[in-house]
Amino acid sequence: MAILPIIVAPDPRLKLVSRPVDKVDAAVARLMDDMLETMYAAPGIGLAAPQVSVPMRVIVVDIARKDKGEEPISLKMANPQLIATSEEVKSWDEGCLSLPEHYAEVVRPSRATVRYLDENNKRREVEADGVLAVCLQHEMDHLDGIIFVDHVSMLKRNMILRKLRKAKKLGTLAAE
Ligand code: NI
């Protein structure tokens, strides 16, 4: 396994629409493992392939609180698809490994059903609520070139992106 460099916004590679995976073969499974290792090292609870410069529809998620002694429950997904969402919405203070140290309230459906291919190329479905529902929707957004600040006001988005641009220029990013 390997830890991959994570792209920090603003970056045109985070705006690409990623391509579907034909089949989860050994190379895709290895990418999933590398992404999971990268995510745990960061640390984070979700990561999408475009964040590590791979424009493919692959995400990994693990919402277990290891700081509270919870066992890891990793999800590795190719071609995740939102097949149902609740009408009920919830606001969550979201963050992202590509926007280190910045957070904003984002409103999303509070429950979501996601269909995907697992690391063995098996078709699966997960019904999520709470932080898992938020995280899955956030990671799937990345596959369509959307980051969480695209869901907030232009004022707030520009402020965050301006600070990140400045931090990148100065080399003071915590993630680096
Ligand atoms: Ni993110």
Side-chain angles (χ1 to χ4, degrees):
M1 297 213 281
I3 293 179
L4 310 167
I6 297 174
I7 296 173
V8 171
D11 188 299
R13 290 169 293 178
L14 294 173
K15 300 205 144 269
L16 300 172
V17 174
S18 294
R19 63 172 188 275
V21 172
D22 292 331
K23 182 178 187 285
V24 181
D25 55 14
V28 175
R30 190 165 54 240
L31 169 68
M32 289 168 161
D33 286 339
D34 287 345
M35 286 171 58
L36 212 48
E37 191 181 6
T38 302
M39 183 191 86
Y40 287 138
I45 60 169
L47 187 68
Q51 292 179 273
V52 291
S53 316
V54 180
M56 276 167 52
R57 302 190 83 82
V58 173
I59 64 172
V60 294
V61 166
D62 189 342
I63 57 155
R65 294 286 306 268
K66 280 163 284 295
D67 56 332
K68 293 193 173 160
E70 292 181 16
E71 287 299 312
I73 5 160
S74 59
L75 286 169
K76 305 172 191 177
M77 301 182 164
N79 302 342
Q81 236 187 320
L82 209 49
I83 56 168
T85 52
S86 61
E87 272 178 38
E88 187 198 339
V89 294
K90 196 169 168 46
S91 171
W92 206 281
D93 199 27
E94 293 191 23
C96 179
L97 294 176
S98 291
L99 293 89
E101 291 178 31
H102 292 279
Y103 301 87
E105 292 281 331
V106 178
V107 176
R108 301 182 189 271
S110 56
R111 291 184 304 283
T113 306
V114 177
R115 185 176 289 161
Y116 64 100
L117 292 172
D118 72 6
E119 65 271 31
N120 299 309
N121 201 49
K122 281 219 177 69
R123 202 159 116 150
R124 289 184 185 277
E125 236 173 72
V126 61
E127 270 185 53
D129 62 7
V131 65
L132 183 59
V134 173
C135 190
L136 288 172
Q137 293 176 79
H138 172 120
E139 300 313 328
M140 279 188 281
D141 267 357
H142 278 298
L143 307 180
D144 291 321
I146 297 165
I147 51 179
F148 76 86
V149 290
D150 292 326
H151 292 288
V152 305
S153 72
M154 198 196 287
L155 190 73
K156 175 115 196 187
R157 173 166 63 250
N158 287 344
M159 187 193 76
I160 290 175
L161 292 176
R162 193 166 54 239
K163 283 184 181 168
L164 284 168
R165 199 176 285 124
K166 194 172 165 193
K168 280 208 276 191
K169 203 181 280 174
L170 296 172
T172 55
L173 279 171
E176 286 181 338

